[in-house]
Amino acid sequence: MIASPALAQDWGTDFNMGTFAAGGGSPANGYLNLECAGEGSGFDFAGQPFIALTVIDGEQLDKKSLPDEITFWVDDEQSYLLPMSIEEGSTTRLVYDYSADTVEQARGLVEAMRQGSIVTAKADENVIASLDLEGSNDTLELVEDCIAP
Protein backbone atom coordinates (compact mmCIF):
# COMPACT_ATOMS: atom_id res chain seq x y z
CA MET A 1 0.00 0.00 0.00
CA ILE A 2 1.07 3.57 -0.52
CA ALA A 3 1.58 6.04 2.28
CA SER A 4 -0.70 9.04 2.28
CA PRO A 5 0.29 12.47 3.51
CA ALA A 6 -0.40 12.99 7.19
CA LEU A 7 1.34 16.07 8.53
CA ALA A 8 0.01 18.24 11.36
CA GLN A 9 -3.79 18.07 11.42
CA ASP A 10 -3.99 18.67 7.69
CA TRP A 11 -5.83 16.16 5.56
CA GLY A 12 -4.23 15.17 2.29
CA THR A 13 -5.02 12.91 -0.61
CA ASP A 14 -3.10 10.95 -3.21
CA PHE A 15 -3.76 8.78 -6.23
CA ASN A 16 -1.15 6.27 -7.35
CA MET A 17 -1.44 3.21 -9.59
CA GLY A 18 -5.24 3.06 -9.30
CA THR A 19 -5.24 3.50 -5.53
CA PHE A 20 -6.94 6.41 -3.77
CA ALA A 21 -5.48 7.47 -0.43
CA ALA A 22 -6.44 10.04 2.20
CA GLY A 23 -4.97 10.77 5.58
CA GLY A 24 -4.50 13.25 8.35
CA GLY A 25 -3.40 13.69 11.91
CA SER A 26 -0.54 14.66 14.16
CA PRO A 27 1.67 12.97 16.75
CA ALA A 28 -0.37 14.44 19.60
CA ASN A 29 -3.70 13.29 18.14
CA GLY A 30 -2.80 10.20 16.12
CA TYR A 31 -2.86 9.57 12.38
CA LEU A 32 -5.54 7.99 10.24
CA ASN A 33 -4.76 6.72 6.73
CA LEU A 34 -7.37 5.29 4.40
CA GLU A 35 -6.83 3.67 1.01
CA CYS A 36 -8.85 1.89 -1.63
CA ALA A 37 -7.87 0.44 -5.00
CA GLY A 38 -10.34 1.32 -7.75
CA GLU A 39 -12.11 -1.23 -9.93
CA GLY A 40 -9.88 -0.56 -12.92
CA SER A 41 -6.67 -0.89 -10.89
CA GLY A 42 -6.20 -4.58 -11.64
CA PHE A 43 -5.65 -5.38 -7.95
CA ASP A 44 -7.53 -8.39 -6.59
CA PHE A 45 -8.43 -6.33 -3.49
CA ALA A 46 -10.10 -3.56 -5.52
CA GLY A 47 -12.98 -1.98 -3.61
CA GLN A 48 -11.71 -3.17 -0.23
CA PRO A 49 -10.79 -0.38 2.18
CA PHE A 50 -7.42 -0.32 3.90
CA ILE A 51 -7.47 1.68 7.13
CA ALA A 52 -4.47 2.28 9.36
CA LEU A 53 -4.52 4.11 12.68
CA THR A 54 -1.39 5.33 14.43
CA VAL A 55 -2.17 6.06 18.07
CA ILE A 56 -1.36 9.25 19.98
CA ASP A 57 2.19 9.84 21.18
CA GLY A 58 2.96 7.92 24.35
CA GLU A 59 0.27 5.27 23.80
CA GLN A 60 1.51 1.69 23.42
CA LEU A 61 -0.66 -1.15 22.15
CA ASP A 62 -0.60 -4.65 23.60
CA LYS A 63 -2.09 -7.61 21.73
CA LYS A 64 -3.16 -9.24 24.98
CA SER A 65 -5.27 -6.30 26.15
CA LEU A 66 -6.47 -4.98 22.79
CA PRO A 67 -10.19 -5.54 22.11
CA ASP A 68 -11.21 -7.32 18.91
CA GLU A 69 -12.85 -4.14 17.64
CA ILE A 70 -11.94 -0.47 17.83
CA THR A 71 -14.80 1.97 18.25
CA PHE A 72 -14.69 5.08 16.10
CA TRP A 73 -16.93 7.92 17.27
CA VAL A 74 -17.75 10.74 14.86
CA ASP A 75 -18.82 13.88 16.75
CA ASP A 76 -19.72 11.71 19.79
CA GLU A 77 -22.97 10.88 17.98
CA GLN A 78 -22.26 8.01 15.62
CA SER A 79 -20.13 4.99 16.39
CA TYR A 80 -18.59 2.42 14.10
CA LEU A 81 -16.92 -0.82 15.16
CA LEU A 82 -14.01 -2.04 13.08
CA PRO A 83 -11.97 -5.18 13.67
CA MET A 84 -8.37 -4.02 13.87
CA SER A 85 -5.12 -5.66 14.83
CA ILE A 86 -1.66 -4.42 15.64
CA GLU A 87 0.54 -4.16 12.59
CA GLU A 88 3.34 -6.71 12.74
CA GLY A 89 6.43 -5.26 14.39
CA SER A 90 4.59 -2.22 15.76
CA THR A 91 3.20 -1.17 19.13
CA THR A 92 1.59 2.03 17.84
CA ARG A 93 -0.18 1.18 14.57
CA LEU A 94 -3.42 -0.69 13.97
CA VAL A 95 -4.72 -1.96 10.63
CA TYR A 96 -8.28 -2.81 9.66
CA ASP A 97 -8.98 -6.53 9.35
CA TYR A 98 -11.12 -6.43 6.22
CA SER A 99 -14.12 -8.71 6.00
CA ALA A 100 -17.24 -8.57 3.85
CA ASP A 101 -19.25 -8.55 7.09
CA THR A 102 -17.72 -5.28 8.29
CA VAL A 103 -17.19 -3.33 5.06
CA GLU A 104 -20.47 -1.44 5.59
CA GLN A 105 -19.15 -0.21 8.96
CA ALA A 106 -15.96 0.99 7.24
CA ARG A 107 -17.91 2.71 4.47
CA GLY A 108 -20.26 4.28 7.04
CA LEU A 109 -17.28 5.58 9.01
CA VAL A 110 -15.75 7.24 5.95
CA GLU A 111 -19.11 8.75 5.00
CA ALA A 112 -19.68 10.11 8.53
CA MET A 113 -16.14 11.48 8.72
CA ARG A 114 -16.76 13.51 5.55
CA GLN A 115 -19.60 15.30 7.32
CA GLY A 116 -18.20 15.33 10.86
CA SER A 117 -15.91 17.63 12.78
CA ILE A 118 -13.98 15.14 14.95
CA VAL A 119 -13.32 11.38 15.00
CA THR A 120 -12.24 9.64 18.19
CA ALA A 121 -10.91 6.08 18.27
CA LYS A 122 -11.29 4.04 21.46
CA ALA A 123 -9.96 0.69 22.57
CA ASP A 124 -12.61 -0.16 25.13
CA GLU A 125 -12.88 3.18 26.99
CA ASN A 126 -9.27 4.23 26.34
CA VAL A 127 -8.95 7.07 23.78
CA ILE A 128 -6.15 6.10 21.40
CA ALA A 129 -6.64 8.84 18.77
CA SER A 130 -8.77 11.94 18.30
CA LEU A 131 -8.54 13.81 15.00
CA ASP A 132 -10.02 17.06 13.76
CA LEU A 133 -11.84 16.39 10.51
CA GLU A 134 -11.65 19.93 9.11
CA GLY A 135 -10.64 19.62 5.47
CA SER A 136 -11.31 15.88 5.28
CA ASN A 137 -14.52 16.02 3.22
CA ASP A 138 -12.93 16.38 -0.21
CA THR A 139 -9.93 14.17 0.59
CA LEU A 140 -12.15 11.29 1.69
CA GLU A 141 -14.62 11.54 -1.20
CA LEU A 142 -12.65 9.37 -3.62
CA VAL A 143 -11.91 6.76 -0.94
CA GLU A 144 -15.61 6.59 -0.04
CA ASP A 145 -16.63 6.28 -3.68
CA CYS A 146 -14.09 3.50 -4.19
CA ILE A 147 -15.30 1.23 -1.39
CA ALA A 148 -17.50 -1.46 -2.90
CA PRO A 149 -21.01 -1.57 -1.40
Side-chain angles (χ1 to χ4, degrees):
M1 290 292 180
I2 62 174
S4 63
L7 303 173
Q9 274 293 127
D10 294 335
W11 282 83
T13 188
D14 192 17
F15 177 77
N16 188 6
M17 297 176 48
T19 301
F20 303 97
S26 70
N29 299 313
Y31 292 97
L32 191 57
N33 297 306
L34 303 101
E35 299 176 20
C36 183
E39 272 190 41
S41 67
F43 292 112
D44 60 351
F45 52 82
Q48 298 177 13
F50 171 82
I51 302 170
L53 175 70
T54 302
V55 298
I56 57 177
D57 267 355
E59 186 73 31
Q60 296 288 308
L61 302 169
D62 179 3
K63 287 183 182 184
K64 293 178 184 174
S65 62
L66 190 69
D68 291 337
E69 296 175 317
I70 300 300
T71 306
F72 290 85
W73 284 92
V74 178
D75 296 337
D76 293 331
E77 297 173 6
Q78 302 171 33
S79 65
Y80 302 87
L81 294 173
L82 294 183
M84 298 188 83
S85 54
I86 299 173
E87 185 175 62
E88 188 173 328
S90 176
T91 59
T92 60
R93 186 170 154 108
L94 294 166
V95 292
Y96 168 58
D97 297 323
Y98 172 82
S99 78
D101 294 336
T102 62
V103 72
E104 283 304 315
Q105 285 284 306
R107 185 176 176 82
L109 171 63
V110 175
E111 180 180 358
M113 286 173 45
R114 290 190 58 214
Q115 307 306 315
S117 59
I118 190 166
V119 61
T120 303
K122 293 183 177 183
D124 292 326
E125 292 302 313
N126 186 26
V127 173
I128 57 175
S130 187
L131 291 85
D132 185 330
L133 293 171
E134 183 177 344
S136 68
N137 185 16
D138 291 341
T139 62
L140 291 170
E141 181 178 12
L142 294 175
V143 173
E144 179 188 0
D145 290 347
C146 176
I147 300 172

